[in-house]
Amino acid sequence: MRNVIGRYLDTIDALRLEERMLTHNTLILGEEGAGKTNLACKIRNFVIDNNVPTLYMDFADSHEDDVELRYKDEHFNYIRFEESEEFDEAFAALVAEKKHIYMAVNPSFFATKREKKSKLSKVISQQELLDNYYYFFHDIENLNGFYTKFEDFLLYMLSFTNLQKQGFTFLAQPHQTFENPHLKLLFSFLYVGKCSNANYFNTAILKTLKKNHFYYQYRTAYPTLLFNDIKSSMVKIDEYVPEI
């Protein structure tokens, strides 16, 4: 089980992923080159080891040859989103077999109006996916106005997580959207959980961190009358070395 992913910087303990993270949500927020992809790959390995299928959405719309080698393991099944019958058939076949999916996506396929649901939104909201898959949303770059619709998209994600049985991991660079006091999802590496009173976090601290260092926050597993406590630590994530 690849559950040890790094270490705490304020204690001698190893940083371990726990089974409950499979049903909790994680936001990885950091500057370019901060190690977001490395951390996401560690989480993906853990989910795979727990026999949960993954849907990894790459919003840089990468060609297969451009995908990092660390993702090209025996579980790598590349597909590029299109509004076509060929895509529908190929994607349905992967989902039916519960294959791990790496899907390149051009964010322009999302609807520009909040009241309109795009084909892309309908595809990733399929009940079979919501019932079985752990999602990764990887916003690698600020591409072609993606952030102009990002708030609507994030609100959409927050609504569909109420239907999801597994969690999701979202990767992004700090952006003014995250400073929106109505959203307050301002964490670098956080198990938000299905029920969260998302605290405010100043993203300026992210600019001072070295590569693979994250401000890590998680909600404790201890039940309370309102919200469980949020614990915070500085952590260092191990660099992922693909297995040969």
Side-chain angles (χ1 to χ4, degrees):
M1 181 72 70
R2 293 172 286 185
N3 64 328
V4 177
I5 66 169
R7 60 184 175 85
Y8 290 91
L9 296 182
D10 49 0
T11 72
I12 61 173
D13 296 334
L15 176 60
R16 301 174 185 272
L17 296 178
E18 302 175 359
E19 186 176 352
R20 75 188 186 104
M21 77 142 293
L22 297 172
T23 55
H24 284 58
N25 305 322
T26 298
L27 177 63
I28 302 173
L29 191 61
E31 300 288 345
E32 183 177 359
K36 299 186 298 296
T37 302
N38 181 59
L39 174 53
C41 197
K42 295 277 187 181
I43 296 174
R44 174 180 176 268
N45 290 341
F46 178 76
V47 176
I48 289 173
D49 290 347
N50 279 273
N51 298 314
V52 176
T54 59
L55 172 60
Y56 198 107
M57 282 168 278
D58 172 0
F59 288 113
D61 199 17
S62 303
H63 292 278
E64 185 170 3
D65 292 342
D66 297 327
V67 177
E68 294 190 44
L69 288 176
R70 68 182 93 192
Y71 288 110
K72 293 182 176 179
D73 53 18
E74 68 272 25
H75 306 290
F76 181 71
N77 295 282
Y78 175 90
I79 192 170
R80 194 174 191 184
F81 180 80
E82 298 176 352
E83 293 181 339
S84 67
E85 291 184 4
E86 291 78 11
F87 169 83
D88 291 343
E89 292 174 2
F91 189 76
L94 291 171
V95 174
E97 297 182 25
K98 292 185 172 58
K99 294 287 190 180
H100 298 280
I101 302 170
Y102 189 103
M103 185 167 73
V105 184
N106 188 324
S108 65
F109 280 109
F110 281 112
T112 56
K113 296 182 179 180
R114 189 177 302 190
E115 63 274 10
K116 182 179 177 181
K117 195 169 186 179
S118 66
K119 171 86 178 283
L120 175 56
S121 294
K122 292 177 182 177
V123 166
I124 63 178
S125 299
Q126 293 178 38
Q127 196 60 49
E128 191 167 358
L129 288 171
L130 295 173
D131 286 345
N132 297 296
Y133 274 73
Y134 187 100
Y135 288 71
F136 289 85
F137 298 89
H138 199 156
D139 168 34
I140 293 179
E141 297 178 9
N142 187 347
L143 290 170
N144 298 325
F146 176 77
Y147 281 118
T148 63
K149 333 175 202 180
F150 181 73
E151 183 175 336
D152 290 344
F153 173 54
L154 183 56
L155 291 172
Y156 156 72
M157 284 204 304
L158 291 174
S159 66
F160 92 67
T161 55
N162 293 324
L163 305 174
Q164 251 186 302
K165 293 186 178 178
Q166 306 296 337
F168 72 80
T169 289
F170 188 86
L171 298 86
Q173 294 179 18
H175 183 268
Q176 65 182 6
T177 298
F178 292 102
E179 302 287 355
N180 184 323
H182 300 296
L183 298 180
K184 296 185 178 179
L185 283 175
L186 307 179
F187 308 98
S188 58
F189 174 27
L190 168 69
Y191 295 136
V192 180
K194 296 290 185 181
C195 184
S196 172
N197 62 342
N199 291 350
Y200 186 85
F201 174 67
N202 181 4
T203 57
I205 191 174
L206 303 181
K207 298 180 183 298
T208 67
L209 300 181
K210 299 178 181 178
K211 182 179 179 180
N212 290 332
H213 288 68
F214 289 89
Y215 185 69
Y216 170 47
Q217 297 185 300
Y218 67 96
R219 193 169 296 285
T220 63
Y222 309 110
T224 64
L225 292 176
L226 296 174
F227 295 100
N228 298 4
D229 290 338
I230 290 180
K231 301 295 184 181
S232 303
S233 297
M234 294 299 300
V235 297
K236 184 178 187 300
I237 307 300
D238 297 331
E239 187 69 32
Y240 176 66
V241 178
E243 298 176 0
I244 301 175

